[in-house]
Amino acid sequence: MAAATAAATLVLAACNGGSDDVDPDPDGPDQTVGEAGEGDDETGEPGAAGGEFTIYNCEPQNLQTGSSSEVCGSKVLDQLYSGLTSIDYDSGEVVGVVASDWETEDAQNWTFTIRDDFTFHNGDPVTAQTFVDTWNWIVNPDNGQTQGAFFDKIEGYQEVVDGDATEMSGLSAPDDTTLEITLSEPFSPFPAQLSYTAFYPLPEVAFEDIAAFQEAPIGNGRYQMDGEWVHNVEIAMTRYEDWPGDSPGLADRIVWTIYSDVNTAYLDVQAGALDILDGIPPERLATVDQEFPDQYQEDQTSSFTYLGFPLYQEEFQDPDIRHALSMAVDRQTIIDTIFNGAREPATGVIPPVLPEYRGDACNYCDFDAETARQMYEDAGGPSELTIYFNSGAGHEEWTEAVANMWQQNLPIDSISFESLEFAQYLDLHDEEVVTGPYRLGWVLSYPSPQYAMEPLYGTGADSNYARYSNEEFDSLIDQANAEADEDTAAELYQQAEDILLEDMPVIPLWYETRTTVHSTNVDNIVVDPRTFVRVEQVEVTSG
């Protein structure tokens, strides 16, 4: 994601996702927020239990809750773990899972009541202190967890990062079922943010050797590992019978089958060797209704695809160069010819599934070849480019189309391509060795414009691969986060988006309608706004 690619940021990998209309539900001051209810984020009616099925996945970068920043790993962790909260994607509301309820009077001081019936898969209890210990461990830089920045709003975070403290002063557990959290500033979306992967609890055994632990993680979710992670082959899990929620998983066993090429996965579904593939290859969109007449579906998602700029490279520091490259792309033509219409041209970075979306937010997203050429020439844009993308995920054809448009519409002599499998591709960005425009995507781990922007473009954010920084943007995001009135917060988020689109550290390309195909072995396929198949709801109909 997960992420956003992934809240924490779910960076979009081989699977690019979409969403139903989902409204953010920031909790304002003087509110007592929700009962646990069913304690999950269900969509759809309960079905028949039993059986097993296989589902496509790409090789995760890791299976560490504190370091997972992409959907390949986060989809698996979403089943192995249960967090304090989750999102009900029917209503867009935050619901309790491990937390039964929570209270705040000022959106800065929070008290969560923890259920006493959750255990890890090894039988250890999940208590309020479990969350305190897990979060402090993730934030401690000595432990090398990349998602620690998601805790930056908790009081005492910076002291731990700087090495002046070993624990965040804003966390305490007076007893096993009471978790008290003090933030450094008001943050209304906090309960929604806690649904993100980084905030899942870890058992004590994880802290002994996280590299070894991630080979067979011990979680507290609906499903538990069945053996170890077989790299580049599969990740298998079985239903955890002692999970105390009201809606446990239906299937007895789920196998995440790992592919390096989504086309191979598509052929395997046709042959009956794979049960579910979400995010089919673009070239199959025109014929999927003939090849899977009764076994395919389309779901709108929050998936947002963009081309980013490594702003640490001198040739991309002039915003007019970035504006020109954006205006030189005919998005609709690519969508019609390559995606068979299964995309929507992006007009900003806030997706249409959120009420803060505006169809006219971007001044540089309309195709205008003449203006783009003049602007590029005046700004002295580079005559040679390298485009980066992750391989095996169906991005080859459209990145080539973008390159052709740039060479046709701008004074660019040559364009080359660099691609790697997704896990290694993200390493390139972490190491800041990308030298040209790069393809990435983002999905909303929780439905808030804060998550659509801050993790990707906030100064110093882990998934800010462009290394973009703007003090006014950061300030507006902070103001919106602290605002109790939803309408006022929406206006502030939109003002922040305006600054972002003027600076244009990334070129917004399109929002995805996700196409999923499946075998006759399964039914009740539900795809949520994060692009996640709700595997716990899948019904096995045969075998």
Side-chain angles (χ1 to χ4, degrees):
M1 44 18 336
T5 181
T9 70
L10 290 190
V11 178
L12 210 50
C15 346
N16 300 324
S19 72
D20 290 331
D21 292 339
V22 177
D23 296 332
D25 185 30
D27 299 306
D30 301 315
Q31 292 181 347
T32 299
V33 189
E35 296 275 325
E38 291 190 347
D40 58 25
D41 51 347
E42 295 299 318
T43 305
E45 296 298 322
E52 73 172 74
F53 66 90
T54 56
I55 181 169
Y56 162 86
N57 204 8
C58 40
E59 173 76 354
Q61 188 180 28
N62 62 70
L63 288 181
Q64 302 175 32
T65 62
S67 286
S68 180
S69 61
E70 42 76 29
V71 297
C72 307
S74 294
K75 288 190 289 189
V76 175
L77 296 172
D78 189 54
Q79 295 300 321
L80 294 177
Y81 292 88
S82 294
L84 287 172
T85 66
S86 189
I87 306 297
D88 181 332
Y89 287 108
D90 278 340
S91 65
E93 295 180 352
V94 184
V95 296
V97 186
V98 178
S100 60
D101 56 70
W102 52 95
E103 295 180 349
T104 185
E105 293 183 354
D106 55 8
Q108 185 170 359
N109 296 278
W110 300 82
T111 300
F112 288 78
T113 301
I114 308 300
R115 292 174 56 156
D116 62 4
D117 52 356
F118 267 87
T119 64
F120 288 105
H121 300 149
N122 63 358
D124 290 352
V126 179
T127 68
Q129 189 63 43
T130 302
F131 289 92
V132 173
D133 294 342
T134 299
W135 297 356
N136 281 320
W137 185 86
I138 290 174
V139 169
N140 187 331
D142 293 342
N143 297 319
Q145 300 299 288
T146 63
Q147 298 300 291
F150 279 94
F151 299 84
D152 65 351
K153 293 176 175 59
I154 298 176
E155 193 173 85
Y157 163 84
Q158 196 59 50
E159 287 78 359
V160 175
V161 170
D162 293 340
D164 298 328
T166 58
E167 298 181 349
M168 290 180 281
S169 58
L171 292 179
S172 65
D175 55 57
D176 285 350
T177 60
T178 305
L179 176 63
E180 296 178 347
I181 306 172
T182 301
L183 307 182
S184 55
E185 58 190 22
F187 183 56
S188 293
F190 189 52
Q193 186 186 51
L194 291 178
S195 67
Y196 178 64
T197 310
F199 295 92
Y200 292 158
L202 291 172
E204 289 186 10
V205 66
F207 309 140
E208 298 173 5
D209 186 343
I210 193 64
F213 177 80
Q214 73 161 342
E215 297 304 311
I218 298 170
N220 67 319
R222 288 182 177 87
Y223 285 86
Q224 60 185 340
M225 290 288 290
D226 183 12
E228 293 192 348
W229 171 10
V230 185
H231 288 270
N232 298 300
V233 178
E234 68 177 31
I235 300 169
M237 56 179 64
T238 58
R239 187 174 55 223
Y240 182 51
E241 301 299 343
D242 291 331
W243 188 78
D246 293 335
S247 302
L250 294 181
D252 294 330
R253 188 169 186 266
I254 300 170
V255 179
W256 303 86
T257 306
I258 299 170
Y259 290 82
S260 60
D261 189 332
V262 70
N263 277 286
T264 303
Y266 188 87
L267 295 174
D268 277 358
V269 181
Q270 283 186 299
L274 179 69
D275 289 316
I276 303 173
L277 167 62
D278 57 308
I280 70 172
E283 60 269 27
R284 298 288 187 172
L285 290 167
T287 57
V288 64
D289 58 341
Q290 301 161 30
E291 295 166 337
F292 291 91
D294 300 314
Q295 296 154 241
Y296 87 98
Q297 64 188 58
E298 296 178 339
D299 297 276
Q300 186 189 16
T301 73
S302 65
S303 174
F304 165 64
T305 297
Y306 63 88
L307 283 169
F309 295 101
L311 299 183
Y312 47 83
Q313 297 287 332
E314 183 177 355
E315 59 265 39
F316 299 110
Q317 292 178 4
D318 187 333
D320 275 347
I321 292 175
R322 308 194 291 269
H323 296 158
L325 287 165
S326 177
M327 289 189 293
V329 177
D330 187 343
R331 293 159 176 77
Q332 193 62 59
T333 294
I334 293 176
I335 289 170
D336 291 341
T337 58
I338 295 178
F339 296 110
N340 199 42
R343 301 291 186 275
E344 179 180 346
T347 60
V349 298
I350 297 177
V353 298
L354 296 178
E356 292 83 1
Y357 166 78
R358 295 168 294 166
D360 58 353
C362 182
N363 294 323
Y364 306 103
C365 294
D366 290 334
F367 178 55
D368 187 341
E370 184 177 347
T371 301
R373 172 176 285 274
Q374 188 62 54
M375 186 178 290
Y376 198 80
E377 289 177 347
D378 292 346
S383 60
E384 298 180 354
L385 291 175
T386 299
I387 298 177
Y388 291 75
F389 63 93
N390 53 296
S391 60
H395 302 307
E396 289 81 1
E397 190 173 358
W398 73 257
T399 51
E400 184 177 354
V402 169
N404 290 338
M405 289 177 179
W406 280 348
Q407 286 192 273
Q408 179 179 349
N409 299 320
L410 302 173
I412 296 176
D413 297 328
S414 65
I415 297 178
S416 58
F417 299 88
E418 292 283 347
S419 64
L420 285 171
E421 292 188 15
F422 195 66
Q424 291 74 39
Y425 180 64
L426 288 184
D427 291 339
L428 290 182
H429 295 280
D430 290 334
E431 296 161 7
E432 294 189 5
V433 295
V434 173
T435 62
Y438 57 86
R439 174 269 163 199
L440 275 175
W442 193 250
V443 294
L444 298 182
S445 289
Y446 54 90
S448 170
Q450 176 270 335
Y451 187 64
M453 293 187 288
E454 189 173 14
L456 274 179
Y457 316 109
T459 300
D462 286 332
S463 292
N464 184 352
Y465 293 120
R467 302 301 185 254
Y468 170 72
S469 179
N470 183 301
E471 290 184 2
E472 187 179 1
F473 170 82
D474 292 340
S475 177
L476 284 166
I477 291 291
D478 288 342
Q479 293 175 53
N481 290 345
E483 180 56 57
D485 181 77
E486 293 186 12
D487 292 337
T488 303
E491 292 177 4
L492 291 167
Y493 283 127
Q494 289 172 342
Q495 291 175 33
E497 185 186 28
D498 289 340
I499 292 173
L500 196 62
L501 293 171
E502 184 63 34
D503 289 347
M504 197 160 274
V506 306
I507 296 176
L509 291 177
W510 40 74
Y511 315 110
E512 181 187 356
T513 297
R514 173 155 291 227
T515 303
T516 301
V517 295
H518 62 89
S519 73
T520 57
N521 184 51
V522 292
D523 198 3
N524 195 40
I525 314 299
V526 177
V527 179
D528 70 26
R530 300 171 299 173
T531 73
F532 288 14
V533 174
R534 302 309 308 165
V535 295
E536 75 276 9
Q537 299 176 37
V538 172
E539 296 179 41
V540 178
T541 58
S542 62

